[in-house]
Amino acid sequence: MGTPFISHLEPTRLDGYDPSKPHDQQPAHIPPVFLDAMAVREAVFVGEQGTPLDCEYDNDDSRSCHWVMYASVNMTTAAEQRDPSTGAVLRPRRSETRSMPIGTMRVVPFPHPPHPPPGARYVGNVLQDDDDDDQPAAEKNGGGSSSSSSATATPAVLPRRRSKTLTSVDEERQASALPYGHDKPTTYHDGKEPYVKLGRVAVVSEFRGHHIAGQMWRAARKWLEDHPTFFNPSVTEMGMDQLKVGAASEIPKWNGLICCHAQEGVVKIYEKWGFKVDEGMGKWFEEGIPHVGMFQRLRIKAADPKV
């Protein structure tokens, strides 16, 4: 493996992306870096963990920042040919070095859907209720974001559950960029403070064990520390009425809090990065894989609201 490098994609329009099709069958205008991110996610979450393809892409992708790590890989383009009778080389092996996406992660800005209820189950980002029917299904990582790193979890086969009926408040909170509704308090989140969410952390199997995920996290953390106001809403663009605030002090702004929905099998990786398990969030299931909430706070410089 050659020297790896990381590309960063800021929020971008992904109009026309078809979740039912793989990354290499998408419209030509979709940014290549995002297609490379999806190539890694499809390999890990769809290929290894059994996530339905049409559940891997979600509405958060267009509003998120994405990081993709590449490695320079020497690939054979034509095999060596030898004379079967003499063993003489008729055509030498031909190869070329290509940049291959090997890892990805994303950071989703606030606002977010409510914290998952303890014991809840999500299918395709939809919270399910407790009534079973007769069709089994493999459930994955809805509810927000997949947080698998180098570990590969095997989805459990669980009964399919019907979608929970959302209240009008839930629907408004999940469907609209604003207002920023309150959430239930947890160990590290007061239910009010805006936070960003780290997710869709994935490394292709052949490159695990080389601290790829850690390198991407350091790049993402550095960018967040250098751009602490990037995700803050602009008063000029949105107006005080849409922000539903009466004073500048009430305008939502990010103060360094980061959440991740971590698969239980990779909690120790996130702990090495500085995250702590939020016991108050309990445990829930995303496509059958048990997840826990984790938080950490970055030290960022105080900044005034965007105008």
Side-chain angles (χ1 to χ4, degrees), residues 17-283:
Y17 192 96
D18 187 344
S20 68
K21 296 180 180 179
H23 69 281
D24 54 0
Q25 296 180 24
Q26 297 298 331
H29 67 270
I30 302 297
V33 172
F34 181 73
L35 294 178
D36 289 340
M38 290 303 295
V40 175
R41 285 160 53 173
E42 288 170 14
V44 175
F45 300 131
V46 179
E48 295 183 34
Q49 298 186 355
T51 300
L53 176 63
D54 57 3
C55 291
E56 184 46 46
Y57 172 89
D58 65 21
N59 291 333
D60 282 335
D61 277 319
S62 62
R63 71 189 190 102
S64 299
C65 282
H66 300 264
W67 284 262
V68 179
M69 177 168 279
Y70 297 85
S72 297
V73 180
N74 189 271
M75 307 181 72
T76 299
T77 57
E80 179 184 78
Q81 288 188 355
R82 291 178 176 267
D83 186 306
S85 59
T86 66
V89 176
L90 301 176
R91 187 183 70 185
R93 171 183 173 273
R94 296 175 183 173
S95 65
E96 63 180 26
T97 300
R98 299 177 182 173
S99 293
M100 171 183 174
I102 62 174
T104 189
M105 67 173 48
R106 76 179 185 187
V107 170
V108 186
F110 56 92
H112 303 284
H115 294 312
R121 300 182 185 275
Y122 289 83
V123 179
N125 292 334
V126 178
L127 176 63
Q128 309 296 294
D129 68 17
D130 294 327
D131 295 327
D132 297 345
D133 61 23
D134 297 329
Q135 289 188 329
E139 299 178 328
K140 182 229 170 200
N141 52 7
S145 66
S146 165
S147 301
S148 172
S149 181
S150 58
T152 301
T154 302
V157 177
L158 300 169
R160 185 184 298 278
R161 301 170 183 265
R162 294 199 303 270
S163 299
K164 175 186 177 183
T165 301
L166 299 179
T167 66
S168 59
V169 174
D170 289 336
E171 290 177 345
E172 180 181 12
R173 193 173 191 276
Q174 295 193 42
S176 303
L178 294 169
Y180 299 82
H182 292 176
D183 206 342
K184 67 172 184 179
T186 67
T187 305
Y188 296 114
H189 184 228
D190 63 4
K192 302 176 184 180
E193 180 181 350
Y195 62 89
V196 300
K197 184 160 61 178
L198 176 68
R200 291 302 199 269
V201 182
V203 175
V204 296
S205 58
E206 307 94 286
F207 293 90
R208 293 174 192 159
H210 298 284
H211 307 290
I212 301 299
Q215 293 179 59
M216 290 190 296
W217 162 241
R218 286 191 290 274
R221 182 183 63 193
K222 177 70 163 57
W223 184 88
L224 288 168
E225 290 171 340
D226 291 344
H227 302 83
T229 65
F230 183 85
F231 293 126
N232 291 348
S234 168
V235 178
T236 302
E237 294 177 3
M238 307 191 74
M240 299 289 275
D241 289 340
Q242 187 176 356
L243 287 170
K244 299 186 181 300
V245 296
S249 60
E250 300 173 0
I251 298 172
K253 65 177 182 178
W254 185 60
N255 290 315
L257 189 63
I258 306 176
C259 174
C260 72
H261 292 180
Q263 294 183 8
E264 271 194 325
V266 293
V267 163
K268 290 188 180 300
I269 293 176
Y270 288 98
E271 288 178 335
K272 291 180 180 178
W273 297 353
F275 286 88
K276 296 180 179 179
V277 174
D278 190 310
E279 300 292 347
M281 291 182 68
K283 179 169 67 176

